[in-house]
Short mmCIF file of all heavy atoms in Angstrom, two decimals:
data_model
loop_
_atom_site.label_atom_id
_atom_site.label_comp_id
_atom_site.label_asym_id
_atom_site.label_seq_id
_atom_site.Cartn_x
_atom_site.Cartn_y
_atom_site.Cartn_z
N PHE A 1410 6.53 -41.93 40.39
CA PHE A 1410 6.92 -40.57 40.01
C PHE A 1410 8.18 -40.67 39.16
O PHE A 1410 9.10 -41.40 39.48
CB PHE A 1410 7.23 -39.73 41.26
CG PHE A 1410 7.83 -38.40 40.92
CD1 PHE A 1410 7.03 -37.36 40.47
CD2 PHE A 1410 9.19 -38.20 41.03
CE1 PHE A 1410 7.58 -36.14 40.14
CE2 PHE A 1410 9.75 -36.98 40.70
CZ PHE A 1410 8.95 -35.95 40.25
N THR A 1411 8.20 -39.91 38.06
CA THR A 1411 9.38 -39.85 37.19
C THR A 1411 9.76 -38.39 37.00
O THR A 1411 8.94 -37.59 36.56
CB THR A 1411 9.08 -40.48 35.81
OG1 THR A 1411 8.63 -41.82 36.00
CG2 THR A 1411 10.33 -40.48 34.93
N LEU A 1412 10.99 -38.06 37.35
CA LEU A 1412 11.49 -36.70 37.17
C LEU A 1412 11.71 -36.46 35.69
O LEU A 1412 12.40 -37.22 35.02
CB LEU A 1412 12.81 -36.53 37.94
CG LEU A 1412 13.41 -35.13 37.95
CD1 LEU A 1412 12.51 -34.18 38.73
CD2 LEU A 1412 14.79 -35.16 38.57
N THR A 1413 11.10 -35.41 35.16
CA THR A 1413 11.22 -35.12 33.73
C THR A 1413 11.86 -33.78 33.43
O THR A 1413 12.27 -33.54 32.30
CB THR A 1413 9.83 -35.13 33.06
OG1 THR A 1413 9.01 -34.15 33.70
CG2 THR A 1413 9.19 -36.50 33.15
N LYS A 1414 11.95 -32.91 34.41
CA LYS A 1414 12.48 -31.57 34.16
C LYS A 1414 13.28 -31.14 35.38
O LYS A 1414 12.83 -31.36 36.49
CB LYS A 1414 11.30 -30.62 33.93
CG LYS A 1414 11.69 -29.21 33.60
CD LYS A 1414 10.43 -28.39 33.38
CE LYS A 1414 10.77 -26.95 33.14
NZ LYS A 1414 9.58 -26.13 33.02
N PRO A 1415 14.39 -30.56 35.27
CA PRO A 1415 15.10 -30.24 34.02
C PRO A 1415 15.87 -31.44 33.49
O PRO A 1415 16.38 -32.23 34.26
CB PRO A 1415 16.05 -29.12 34.43
CG PRO A 1415 16.29 -29.34 35.88
CD PRO A 1415 15.03 -29.97 36.43
N ARG A 1416 15.93 -31.56 32.20
CA ARG A 1416 16.56 -32.72 31.56
C ARG A 1416 18.07 -32.75 31.81
O ARG A 1416 18.64 -33.81 31.98
CB ARG A 1416 16.31 -32.69 30.05
CG ARG A 1416 14.84 -32.83 29.75
CD ARG A 1416 14.64 -34.09 28.95
NE ARG A 1416 13.27 -34.18 28.54
CZ ARG A 1416 12.47 -35.14 28.93
NH1 ARG A 1416 12.90 -36.07 29.73
NH2 ARG A 1416 11.23 -35.19 28.51
N TRP A 1417 18.72 -31.59 31.82
CA TRP A 1417 20.17 -31.58 32.04
C TRP A 1417 20.50 -32.20 33.38
O TRP A 1417 21.47 -32.91 33.54
CB TRP A 1417 20.74 -30.16 31.96
CG TRP A 1417 20.22 -29.27 33.05
CD1 TRP A 1417 19.15 -28.43 32.97
CD2 TRP A 1417 20.70 -29.17 34.39
NE1 TRP A 1417 18.93 -27.81 34.18
CE2 TRP A 1417 19.88 -28.25 35.07
CE3 TRP A 1417 21.75 -29.78 35.09
CZ2 TRP A 1417 20.07 -27.91 36.40
CZ3 TRP A 1417 21.93 -29.44 36.42
CH2 TRP A 1417 21.10 -28.51 37.06
N TYR A 1418 19.68 -31.93 34.36
CA TYR A 1418 19.92 -32.45 35.70
C TYR A 1418 19.80 -33.96 35.71
O TYR A 1418 20.65 -34.67 36.23
CB TYR A 1418 18.90 -31.85 36.67
CG TYR A 1418 18.91 -32.55 37.99
CD1 TYR A 1418 19.87 -32.27 38.93
CD2 TYR A 1418 17.99 -33.55 38.26
CE1 TYR A 1418 19.91 -32.94 40.13
CE2 TYR A 1418 18.01 -34.23 39.45
CZ TYR A 1418 18.98 -33.91 40.38
OH TYR A 1418 19.02 -34.60 41.55
N TRP A 1419 18.72 -34.48 35.10
CA TRP A 1419 18.48 -35.90 35.11
C TRP A 1419 19.64 -36.65 34.46
O TRP A 1419 20.15 -37.62 35.01
CB TRP A 1419 17.17 -36.18 34.37
CG TRP A 1419 16.90 -37.62 34.19
CD1 TRP A 1419 16.52 -38.52 35.12
CD2 TRP A 1419 16.99 -38.34 32.96
NE1 TRP A 1419 16.36 -39.76 34.56
CE2 TRP A 1419 16.65 -39.67 33.23
CE3 TRP A 1419 17.32 -38.00 31.67
CZ2 TRP A 1419 16.63 -40.64 32.25
CZ3 TRP A 1419 17.30 -38.97 30.70
CH2 TRP A 1419 16.95 -40.26 31.01
N ALA A 1420 20.09 -36.21 33.30
CA ALA A 1420 21.17 -36.89 32.60
C ALA A 1420 22.47 -36.80 33.39
O ALA A 1420 23.21 -37.78 33.53
CB ALA A 1420 21.36 -36.29 31.21
N TRP A 1421 22.75 -35.62 33.94
CA TRP A 1421 23.99 -35.44 34.68
C TRP A 1421 24.03 -36.31 35.93
O TRP A 1421 24.99 -37.00 36.20
CB TRP A 1421 24.16 -33.97 35.07
CG TRP A 1421 25.40 -33.75 35.86
CD1 TRP A 1421 26.68 -33.64 35.39
CD2 TRP A 1421 25.50 -33.66 37.28
NE1 TRP A 1421 27.55 -33.48 36.43
CE2 TRP A 1421 26.85 -33.48 37.60
CE3 TRP A 1421 24.58 -33.71 38.31
CZ2 TRP A 1421 27.29 -33.35 38.90
CZ3 TRP A 1421 25.02 -33.58 39.61
CH2 TRP A 1421 26.36 -33.40 39.88
N ARG A 1422 22.96 -36.33 36.70
CA ARG A 1422 22.93 -37.10 37.94
C ARG A 1422 22.96 -38.60 37.65
O ARG A 1422 23.57 -39.36 38.38
CB ARG A 1422 21.69 -36.77 38.77
CG ARG A 1422 21.69 -35.41 39.36
CD ARG A 1422 22.78 -35.23 40.36
NE ARG A 1422 22.49 -35.98 41.56
CZ ARG A 1422 23.06 -35.78 42.71
NH1 ARG A 1422 23.99 -34.87 42.85
NH2 ARG A 1422 22.74 -36.51 43.76
N ARG A 1423 22.32 -39.02 36.62
CA ARG A 1423 22.28 -40.45 36.30
C ARG A 1423 23.68 -40.95 35.98
O ARG A 1423 24.08 -42.02 36.44
CB ARG A 1423 21.34 -40.69 35.12
CG ARG A 1423 21.12 -42.14 34.90
CD ARG A 1423 19.99 -42.36 33.94
NE ARG A 1423 19.71 -43.76 33.91
CZ ARG A 1423 18.54 -44.30 33.98
NH1 ARG A 1423 17.49 -43.56 34.09
NH2 ARG A 1423 18.38 -45.60 33.94
N VAL A 1424 24.45 -40.18 35.23
CA VAL A 1424 25.81 -40.58 34.91
C VAL A 1424 26.71 -40.41 36.13
O VAL A 1424 27.55 -41.25 36.43
CB VAL A 1424 26.34 -39.75 33.72
CG1 VAL A 1424 27.83 -39.96 33.52
CG2 VAL A 1424 25.58 -40.10 32.46
N ALA A 1425 26.51 -39.33 36.87
CA ALA A 1425 27.41 -39.00 37.97
C ALA A 1425 27.37 -40.02 39.11
O ALA A 1425 28.40 -40.45 39.58
CB ALA A 1425 27.09 -37.61 38.52
N ASP A 1426 26.19 -40.38 39.58
CA ASP A 1426 26.16 -41.28 40.73
C ASP A 1426 24.98 -42.25 40.69
O ASP A 1426 24.44 -42.62 41.71
CB ASP A 1426 26.17 -40.50 42.03
CG ASP A 1426 24.99 -39.55 42.14
OD1 ASP A 1426 24.11 -39.57 41.27
OD2 ASP A 1426 24.96 -38.78 43.11
N TRP A 1427 24.59 -42.65 39.51
CA TRP A 1427 23.56 -43.65 39.32
C TRP A 1427 22.23 -43.24 39.94
O TRP A 1427 21.48 -44.06 40.42
CB TRP A 1427 24.02 -45.01 39.85
CG TRP A 1427 25.30 -45.42 39.24
CD1 TRP A 1427 26.52 -45.37 39.81
CD2 TRP A 1427 25.51 -45.91 37.91
NE1 TRP A 1427 27.48 -45.80 38.94
CE2 TRP A 1427 26.89 -46.14 37.76
CE3 TRP A 1427 24.67 -46.18 36.83
CZ2 TRP A 1427 27.44 -46.62 36.58
CZ3 TRP A 1427 25.23 -46.65 35.67
CH2 TRP A 1427 26.60 -46.87 35.57
N PHE A 1428 21.95 -41.97 39.94
CA PHE A 1428 20.67 -41.46 40.43
C PHE A 1428 19.55 -42.01 39.56
O PHE A 1428 19.60 -41.94 38.34
CB PHE A 1428 20.67 -39.92 40.37
CG PHE A 1428 19.35 -39.31 40.69
CD1 PHE A 1428 18.92 -39.23 41.99
CD2 PHE A 1428 18.53 -38.82 39.68
CE1 PHE A 1428 17.70 -38.66 42.29
CE2 PHE A 1428 17.32 -38.25 39.97
CZ PHE A 1428 16.90 -38.17 41.28
N ASP A 1429 18.56 -42.57 40.18
CA ASP A 1429 17.40 -43.09 39.45
C ASP A 1429 16.33 -42.00 39.43
O ASP A 1429 15.89 -41.57 40.49
CB ASP A 1429 16.87 -44.34 40.15
CG ASP A 1429 15.75 -45.01 39.38
OD1 ASP A 1429 15.42 -44.53 38.28
OD2 ASP A 1429 15.22 -46.00 39.88
N PRO A 1430 15.92 -41.53 38.26
CA PRO A 1430 14.96 -40.43 38.20
C PRO A 1430 13.52 -40.87 38.48
O PRO A 1430 12.60 -40.12 38.21
CB PRO A 1430 15.12 -39.93 36.76
CG PRO A 1430 15.47 -41.16 36.00
CD PRO A 1430 16.34 -41.97 36.94
N THR A 1431 13.33 -42.06 39.00
CA THR A 1431 11.98 -42.52 39.32
C THR A 1431 11.90 -42.87 40.80
O THR A 1431 12.89 -43.20 41.44
CB THR A 1431 11.60 -43.77 38.49
OG1 THR A 1431 12.49 -44.83 38.83
CG2 THR A 1431 11.65 -43.49 37.01
N ALA A 1432 10.69 -42.79 41.33
CA ALA A 1432 10.42 -43.21 42.70
C ALA A 1432 9.12 -43.99 42.67
O ALA A 1432 8.25 -43.73 41.84
CB ALA A 1432 10.32 -41.99 43.61
#
Side-chain angles (χ1 to χ4, degrees):
F1410 171 78
T1411 303
L1412 185 66
T1413 59
K1414 183 180 176 184
R1416 296 242 185 244
W1417 65 265
Y1418 168 80
W1419 173 73
W1421 178 80
R1422 291 296 288 197
R1423 189 168 188 134
V1424 170
D1426 59 6
W1427 305 103
F1428 173 76
D1429 186 3
T1431 63

